[in-house]
Amino acid sequence: MSGVTIRPVVTKADRKQFVNLAWDVYRDDPAWVPPLKDEVHGLIDPKKNPWFEHARAMLWLAERDGRVVGRISAQVDQLVLEHMGAGTGQWGMFEALDGEAANALIATAEEWLRAQGMTRAMGPISLSIWDEPGLLISGFDQSPMIMMGHHRPAYQGWIEGTGYAKAKDLLTYEVDIRPEAQGVMARLVAAGEKNPRIRIRAVDKSNFERDSAIILNLLNDAWSDNWGYVPLTPAEIAYAGKKLKPIIYPELVRIAELATGSEPGAGFEPAAFMLTIPDVNELTRDLNGELFPFGFVKLLWRLRKPRTKRIRVPLMGVAKKLHGTRLAGQLALMLIEHIRRDAVGKYEATHGEFGWILEDNQGMMSIAELPGATVNHTYRVYEKAL
C-alpha cells in the first residue's frame, strides 16, 4: 500500500470531494442511508451554519495515488471550551477507506488542535454535539434514523489504535409504539389528564417561531447539567427552527404546560416538550443524496402526508426546576403517550426511537424503558490527552 498524503480542503471542488467520499465508503453497506448532499454542504459552510460564529474548523482530505481515501475535520468551539473544559478540542466528519488513511487523518487533526493550544482531543463529533456525535459501535445491521450517524465497524479499532479511550457512550432506544400504555405508565398518564393544572398542547405552526423558541429554550434549560452540553445560541435556535419546520407535524410535537397558580384564570407556563419527527431517511433513501433536478419535488410530495414506519424523538426535556420530581416523569410519560396515539392513528407508524441518551442518565433511561424500549444503537465519544 503506497503512502497517504493529507491536504486541506480549500476549493469548491475539494468540498465536493469531501462530501462525496461517503458514497465510496458505504457503497456496499445495505444499512447506510445516503445523506442529502445539500445538507452536508450547509453544515460545513461558514456562510450558512451559525455554529461558525463561535467556532472555527479545518477540513482535510487523505489521498493515495490521486484518489481520495479519507476525510476529517478538527474544530475549536468557544462554547465547548466554556462548558466542557479549557483545552478541549474536537474532531469529526471522519471517514476512511483503510487504517493507514485513518491514522494519518487523526494525527493531522491532533497536530492542528495542539497548534490551537488544545490539550485534549475528543471525537468524533461532527461538527457539534447537536449534529452527529459519537462513533457507531453497535447496531450496524439497522439503518440509522434521521439525524443519527452510521459507520464502518473497522473505525472503532482504528481510533482506539491511536490511543483514544471512551469518554461517554450515547444510546438510542427502539420501541414498538402500537400497544397502548399499560400499568404504571397508563395510571400516571390518566392521572395527569385529569389534573387541570397540566395542559398538553400541539405546536402551532402558524406561530412556529414562538413555539420553536419555547422548545429550544426549554432544551437549553433542561440539558444544561448534562455531560457534553453546549448551549444553542439565538442564531442557532433560529437556524434549527427553519431547518426543522418542513418536517414538523403538530400532532408529533407537544409542549406540556403547568398552571402558574391555583386560582381560576391562572396562566400557564411551558414545563416540558417532546419533539418527534418521521424518519425522513425512509423518504430520502432512494434519492441518493440528490435533491435536484427531481429529488426536491419528490421529497416535498412525500412530506405532505408522510407515512413512515419509524418515528424518532431526537429532543425531549423537562424544565430543570422539576428535575428529580414525580411530576417530571409524569409530564414526560404524558407527552410520550399523547404523541404515540397520533403517530399510530394518523401517521401509521409502528416503531419509535428515543435518543440519543447518555449511558448514565438513569432518569431518561427509565422513562424510555417503561414502555418497553430496548437499546438498538450505541455511539461512543472518545477522548485523548494531546
Side-chain angles (χ1 to χ4, degrees), residues 46-341:
K47 295 180 181 179
K48 295 182 178 180
N49 186 352
W51 174 83
F52 285 94
E53 293 175 3
H54 53 81
R56 58 191 183 276
M58 279 287 293
L59 310 175
W60 293 272
L61 294 170
E63 290 185 337
R64 180 185 297 109
D65 299 327
R67 179 192 179 194
V68 175
V69 294
R71 74 182 195 192
I72 201 168
S73 70
Q75 54 265 13
V76 174
D77 185 338
Q78 186 59 40
L79 294 179
V80 167
L81 299 179
E82 294 173 9
H83 291 268
M84 296 191 70
T88 302
Q90 299 176 335
W91 54 265
M93 306 296 293
F94 173 75
E95 302 287 359
L97 291 175
D98 56 69
E100 183 185 28
N103 289 345
L105 287 163
I106 292 172
T108 300
E110 290 174 349
E111 182 180 1
W112 184 83
L113 290 173
R114 289 190 193 97
Q116 303 298 309
M118 300 298 104
T119 57
R120 178 174 68 145
M122 183 176 288
I125 294 178
S126 309
L127 292 165
S128 159
I129 197 78
W130 298 110
D131 297 318
E132 289 186 6
L135 178 81
L136 182 67
I137 62 168
S138 72
F140 297 100
D141 59 337
Q142 186 185 73
S143 294
M145 289 202 197
I146 180 174
M147 297 167 63
M148 293 304 294
H150 182 74
H151 304 107
R152 298 176 66 187
Y155 287 4
Q156 182 175 2
W158 295 346
I159 291 171
E160 292 176 2
T162 62
Y164 282 83
K166 182 181 85 168
K168 192 75 69 173
D169 281 351
L170 317 176
L171 312 175
T172 63
Y173 281 79
E174 184 180 48
V175 63
D176 186 333
I177 63 173
R178 288 168 292 187
E180 293 186 7
Q182 299 178 0
V184 174
M185 181 172 175
R187 292 194 294 273
L188 285 170
V189 171
E193 290 175 336
K194 295 175 183 177
N195 187 341
R197 297 189 65 248
I198 298 175
R199 183 167 70 185
I200 307 291
R201 69 171 179 88
V203 297
D204 181 357
K205 288 198 82 169
S206 66
N207 285 296
F208 184 72
E209 288 188 10
R210 178 203 65 190
D211 280 358
S212 63
I214 287 173
I215 287 171
L216 292 167
N217 285 325
L218 266 174
L219 176 68
N220 271 340
D221 175 62
W223 285 41
S224 60
D225 291 334
N226 285 355
W227 178 92
Y229 168 77
V230 174
L232 289 165
T233 66
E236 288 174 303
I237 289 174
Y239 182 67
K242 183 178 179 180
K243 287 182 66 177
L244 286 171
K245 188 173 183 179
I247 56 174
I248 292 296
Y249 301 89
E251 301 93 341
L252 300 182
V253 185
R254 303 273 180 152
I255 296 172
E257 299 174 329
L258 290 178
T260 55
S262 57
E263 67 281 356
F268 284 79
E269 64 179 6
F273 78 95
M274 180 169 159
L275 188 154
T276 310
I277 52 180
D279 182 23
V280 178
N281 282 357
E282 293 181 34
L283 309 179
T284 64
R285 189 179 199 122
D286 65 329
L287 302 182
N288 198 32
E290 303 288 354
L291 280 178
F292 303 100
F294 305 113
F296 185 68
V297 175
K298 289 181 181 179
L299 183 56
L300 281 180
W301 177 258
R302 294 168 183 175
L303 288 173
R304 289 178 68 248
K305 197 172 184 181
R307 291 291 182 267
T308 61
K309 293 180 180 179
R310 305 189 301 174
I311 61 170
R312 178 165 181 253
V313 181
L315 298 174
M316 182 179 185
V318 179
K320 187 162 64 173
K321 66 183 180 181
L322 298 176
H323 287 188
T325 68
R326 182 175 180 273
L327 181 57
Q330 184 175 42
L331 293 177
L333 294 174
M334 290 178 70
L335 290 166
I336 290 171
E337 178 58 15
H338 279 237
I339 290 175
R340 185 204 66 79
R341 294 169 187 167

